[in-house]
Structure formats: structure tokens, C-alpha cells
Amino acid sequence: MKLTVWTYEGPPHVGAMRVATGMKGLHYVLHAPQGDTYADLLFTMIERRDHRPPVTYTTFQARDLGSDTAGLFKQACQDAYDRFKPEAIIVGASCTAELIQDDPGGLAETMGLPVPVIPLELPSYQRKENFGADETFFQIVRHLAAPMAKTARVSCNIIGPTALGFRHRDDVAEITNLLFELGIEVNVVAPMGATPSDIGRMAQAHFNVLLYPETGEQAARYCERTFDQPYTKTIPIGSGATKDFIAEVRALSGSDAPLDDTRARQRWWAASVDSTYLTGKRVFIFGDGTHVQAAARVARDEMGFEVAGIGCYNREFARPVRALAKEFGVEALITDDYLEVEKVIEALQPEMILGTQMERHIGKRLGIPCAVISAPVHVQDFPARYSPQMGFEGANVLFDTWVHPLVMGLEEHLLHMFREDFEFNDAAGPSHHGGHAPAASVDGGPAPQTPRDISGLQKNPGEVIWLDTAERELKKIPFFVRGKARRNTESFAAERGLNEISLDTLYEAKAHFAR
């Protein structure tokens, strides 16, 4: 654990909050000092949930450390039960409270509460948020799910979605509709939307659909061992993966129901005339392991992009991400340090980034468009509209999300191309305000453009200076390849011992690298 300005994952008790907040009838009693009580901000301000998270804190202060903090915890447990009357309670400690070793699980067990009390052992200084969610859901299933006869009709559980998850709400709706078309009933969706009673009947399903391995794989493996429930391994992000997912579900369920795939427009759009000019664009992909692996396949096989780099922040997925990177001929970046990610992006100079909200900030600084594909995300990635990432409609959403930054980049490029035009030059006001012209000089002609005087500039050894005419011409090149054009031209000039880049040098470099 380390302190940092930005972080890809919080401590594991935040993962436990995500599970508790996604469920109904479950309450989380968290042994935490004053200052660790920020759940309301996470869920009501970022995800914009319409109710507060079901978390009760002990909120002990420094002066309480010399007295009975264990008593404070037991009182908080009793107050939580008396006030909320939950079907089950989970108990645990935050990273700070873990240091005082009060054993919340043991304390709660001695209280004799009339509902199941599930202790959580979440090592805050070794593991992180996704592990916390995965472990919490696994413990809830282990304590509450019981052997049961299977449903008369073929059914499945959808497992993995949590609160504060990237598009989880819409993914669940999309996959539920898809399963319905295949004639498969959904027995339980968990943890999001489930009650402890629902968890108790999970064993009725014939198989499980695992949508998010980061937060549901332990539970899926447990159900496979204990209740003889196989689970799906394909994550249905993108057209190709959705078809593979359907084939896997058919094999598990025996369904042969026809499926309407007329909504799958993404593959046609990606091959349309106005999209093929984007073919070969270099993209850098970073995020959680599941979304990164899915995005790499979509980028290469369905959008025609070139994957210039790939990586993830959750080390639990380092092995499959490294294997995938090797298949793509690139080196995987496994790190939770956003500054390291920024250095790699700056070195690669991709045309677009597919990443998290951290990469969105990095892209803004470097002038590279970014589409968000993975948590951690901000409020704008919890849209009011239906916007899944999974299924055929999710593939359509991916097309819009990924292509539009590049298309809008082209629009910006066109504005730059015509920047000397009377309507679009920098001295002109907004065109929607009506006719206007550049400010005139005293004699009525256009304002004179003062050339840059480079005679007095001090040149460092090996430094190349761009002349104004060449700099202006460089700005006409689309922004998503401008960095590469600048580097190539400077390399061309350095090889020839040139200290200045003129318009002719720029054209010569362009001809040289076009061979």
C-alpha cells in the first residue's frame, strides 16, 4: 500500500463496500477511524446512486485508542442491526483500523445477533479493491448458498456485477435480454441487486455466467466445485466475443433457439467507407485485465487498429495479459503507477488511448484522444442513457466511443488546415456569430504577421530549430500523426547535420519517409 495522488484501485474494504452497496438487505459494519468514512462520496456523487450505501462506521478518534475500541465496534454492530434490520451483516476493518487488531469478526460472533454475520479478512497492506470485492462476494456465497434442486427449466446465475462498476447496470440488462432470447432463465443476478435470500438459492441454477472475473471468479469456482455449476469463460465484449459467448452458452444449456443479431451494426460500420480511413491507427490499451484483453481483440480484429501497447494495473491478471501482449508482438505493462503509464504513452505516441479516467487525463496533457474502456472511471462514465459494453448493442457503443474521438480529431485537423482562411484564422471570432474578418492594420490592409527572429537564439549542441514557415505547415498535419511527423523530420534533419528545419526540409523528410 502506498500514498499517491491518483490510484487505480482503493484498499480492499472499498471492494467490500462495492459488494454491499450493490446488494439489498445486507449491511456492512466497518471498524474505521474518522476520516475513512468516504463511501457516501464514492457512490452518491460518482455513481449518482439514489440512496446511501449500507455501511455503518465505528468512527473512533485518536482519543479513543486508549480506551475500549472493541466496545465501540460492538455498539456499532448492535445499532446497525436495530436500525436497519438487515437479512445479513458483513463485518471488517479498514486499513487504519486493521493496525489495532480488534478482530471485528470474533467480536461480532460473540454478540448473538439473530442474522448471519460474515467476517471479512481483507489484508489491506497486501491486496487491493478488486480482491476485496472478489473475496467479499465469495465469503457471502460460501456462508449463505445452500445445495438445492435445479430449476425445471434451464437457468443460470449472472455473477460479478457490483456497485461502482464500469457500465455493470447496462451490461446486465443486455446479457439478460440475450439469454432470454436463447430461452434461458436468469435465476439470480449477484451481487448487484441480490438479497442474502437470493444468494441462498443460487445453487438452483444449471450454470453461471461470469461477466467480471475481477469481482466474481472466486465465487464462480466455488459454485463449480460445490454445486456442480460450470461457468462461462468468454467475456462478451465485441461482436466476435459475443458470438463466442453465445456458442459457449449453447454448449452449456443445450439451447438451439434462433437469435436476432440484426442489432449488430458495429462490424458493418467499421468496414464502411467513412471508417476505413481509420484502419491502421495505433492504439495503446490500459485498464483492468478483463476489459483490456477484450478491447485488444476488438481493436485489432473488428476495428482494424494496430495495438501499439497493452497493459493492466491489477497484478492478478498479469499472466494472461503478458501472454496476450506476446501474441500481439508488444511488451505488456503491468503497473499501478500512472506516471509509469504516462511515460510509456509519451514514448509510443499512439494515435489514440483506450484506458481509464487516469489515461483520459494523460491523453489531455499529451494531446492524444482517449476513450474510456475500464474502471476506475468518473461521473461522466455513469450515463443516464442505456450504454452497455457487452453484447451486440455493446459492440455498437464501442464503435461510437472509439471512433468518434478520431473523427472529431479530423474535424479539428480541417479547422487547422483552413486556419489562414478569413473565417477560420486565429484572429477571427466564432463563425456562428456572423460575418467577421481579421483585425485590419492602420492602412486598411490585413494585420502584418511578424516573422520570428531566430538570429539571437542560443542553440544547444544537437538542437534543431523549426522556422515559422515549417512550423505553420506542420500544424496542417492531423494532430494524431503530428507527433510522429515532427520526430521523423527532426531525425531526418539531425542525420544531415541541419540545425534549422525549413519548409523544404519538411517536404524532403516527408518524401524520404514515404519511400
Side-chain angles (χ1 to χ4, degrees):
M1 180 178 171
K2 64 180 179 180
L3 296 176
T4 181
V5 176
W6 293 100
T7 181
Y8 287 100
E9 292 184 85
H13 70 268
V14 173
M17 285 182 196
R18 289 175 55 189
V19 172
T21 303
M23 292 183 65
K24 300 173 182 175
L26 179 75
H27 202 82
Y28 185 19
V29 180
L30 183 63
H31 200 22
Q34 197 170 40
D36 276 3
T37 53
Y38 44 75
D40 284 6
L41 296 177
L42 288 173
F43 298 102
T44 60
M45 293 183 68
I46 295 179
E47 193 175 3
R48 295 186 288 200
R49 295 182 69 86
D50 56 358
H51 58 277
R52 295 181 64 184
V55 182
T56 291
Y57 302 90
T58 53
T59 58
F60 59 85
Q61 300 177 51
R63 65 171 177 263
D64 298 318
L65 293 177
S67 57
D68 186 14
T69 53
L72 287 175
F73 176 79
K74 292 174 77 171
Q75 186 61 50
C77 276
Q78 189 63 56
D79 291 347
Y81 175 75
D82 293 341
R83 180 180 178 186
F84 298 105
K85 294 292 189 295
E87 291 182 37
I89 292 175
I90 57 176
V91 297
S94 73
C95 45
T96 313
E98 186 180 320
L99 299 174
I100 62 177
Q101 300 180 335
D102 273 339
D103 184 22
L107 292 171
E109 192 177 355
T110 64
M111 294 179 61
L113 294 173
V115 294
V117 177
I118 303 167
L120 301 176
E121 296 293 336
L122 303 176
S124 298
Y125 297 92
Q126 289 82 40
R127 307 306 289 267
K128 294 191 175 181
E129 180 180 329
N130 281 326
F131 168 82
D134 193 28
E135 175 68 15
T136 300
F137 183 46
F138 162 65
Q139 292 297 340
I140 291 171
V141 171
R142 189 170 74 87
H143 281 80
L144 301 181
M148 287 187 177
K150 304 297 183 191
T151 55
R153 292 186 60 187
V154 176
S155 65
C156 70
N157 300 314
I158 295 178
I159 60 178
T162 67
L164 213 65
F166 183 51
R167 308 289 170 84
H168 286 195
R169 174 199 65 189
D170 296 343
D171 285 349
V172 167
E174 182 69 15
I175 298 306
T176 299
N177 291 338
L178 191 102
L179 292 166
F180 177 78
E181 285 190 58
L182 291 170
I184 299 165
E185 292 183 351
V186 174
N187 180 52
V188 172
V189 176
M192 191 168 71
T195 64
S197 302
D198 293 331
I199 301 295
R201 58 186 182 85
M202 278 182 63
Q204 290 180 328
H206 293 76
F207 65 98
N208 288 318
V209 170
L210 176 61
L211 294 187
Y212 308 102
E214 280 84 358
T215 53
E217 189 164 11
Q218 275 199 86
R221 291 180 182 276
Y222 174 80
C223 290
E224 186 176 48
R225 293 191 309 268
T226 310
F227 306 128
D228 192 26
Q229 289 176 325
Y231 65 93
T232 57
K233 310 298 191 300
T234 307
I235 309 301
I237 296 178
S239 292
T242 299
K243 289 176 182 177
D244 292 346
F245 171 78
I246 291 167
E248 189 176 5
V249 168
R250 288 191 191 279
L252 290 173
S253 64
S255 169
D256 58 357
L259 192 67
D260 177 19
D261 62 356
T262 56
R263 292 174 295 125
R265 300 180 291 272
Q266 177 260 342
R267 294 297 293 268
W268 184 89
W269 282 343
S272 62
V273 174
D274 59 349
S275 294
T276 49
Y277 76 93
L278 299 173
T279 301
K281 296 302 175 194
R282 298 169 65 255
V283 296
F284 176 81
I285 306 173
F286 194 86
D288 69 55
T290 294
H291 285 85
V292 161
Q293 292 174 84
R297 177 180 175 180
V298 174
R300 182 187 65 180
D301 300 343
E302 299 177 23
M303 306 292 286
F305 296 153
E306 177 190 340
V307 177
I310 187 173
C312 72
Y313 57 78
N314 45 344
R315 296 185 182 277
E316 295 87 348
F317 283 74
R319 184 173 295 175
V321 170
R322 283 197 177 102
L324 184 65
K326 188 175 180 182
E327 177 192 329
F328 277 67
V330 298
E331 186 177 348
L333 175 65
I334 311 298
T335 183
D336 59 359
D337 185 346
Y338 66 95
L339 294 175
E340 190 176 345
V341 177
E342 183 172 16
K343 285 178 186 175
V344 172
I345 293 173
E346 198 162 9
L348 288 174
Q349 282 294 314
E351 276 84 30
M352 184 167 71
I353 305 167
L354 303 175
T356 72
Q357 70 156 327
M358 246 81 84
E359 283 67 51
R360 177 164 54 206
H361 291 305
I362 291 169
K364 283 179 181 176
R365 193 183 79 78
L366 298 178
I368 302 172
C370 177
V372 175
I373 62 161
S374 159
V377 293
H378 216 312
V379 62
Q380 69 192 76
D381 296 304
F382 291 98
R385 68 185 184 282
Y386 183 61
S387 187
Q389 297 288 285
M390 295 186 177
F392 292 124
E393 189 59 32
N396 295 337
V397 171
L398 289 182
F399 176 86
D400 289 343
T401 307
W402 297 9
V403 166
H404 287 173
L406 291 173
V407 172
M408 298 312 290
L410 179 64
E411 179 181 274
E412 183 181 330
H413 160 57
L414 292 174
L415 291 175
H416 276 291
M417 278 184 66
F418 292 101
R419 64 187 302 148
E420 302 303 328
D421 185 275
F422 77 95
E423 189 176 5
F424 293 107
N425 72 78
D426 291 341
S431 56
H432 61 275
H433 287 171
H436 52 274
S441 66
V442 225
D443 59 2
Q449 300 295 315
T450 309
R452 185 172 62 160
D453 179 14
I454 63 166
S455 57
L457 290 179
Q458 295 295 321
K459 298 177 185 173
N460 296 324
E463 183 184 1
V464 178
I465 292 178
W466 285 74
L467 300 183
D468 274 349
T469 51
E471 189 81 55
R472 285 198 299 270
E473 189 67 17
L474 181 69
K475 288 179 180 178
K476 296 180 182 179
I477 296 173
F479 76 96
F480 43 78
V481 291
R482 193 180 301 151
K484 185 176 180 180
R486 180 184 287 275
R487 291 194 308 276
N488 285 348
T489 307
E490 289 175 353
S491 171
F492 177 85
E495 286 174 5
R496 284 152 183 77
L498 302 175
N499 290 324
E500 297 175 352
I501 295 177
S502 65
L503 196 56
D504 289 340
T505 312
L506 179 61
Y507 287 144
E508 287 169 12
K510 179 181 177 183
H512 172 76
F513 287 104
R515 289 178 193 142

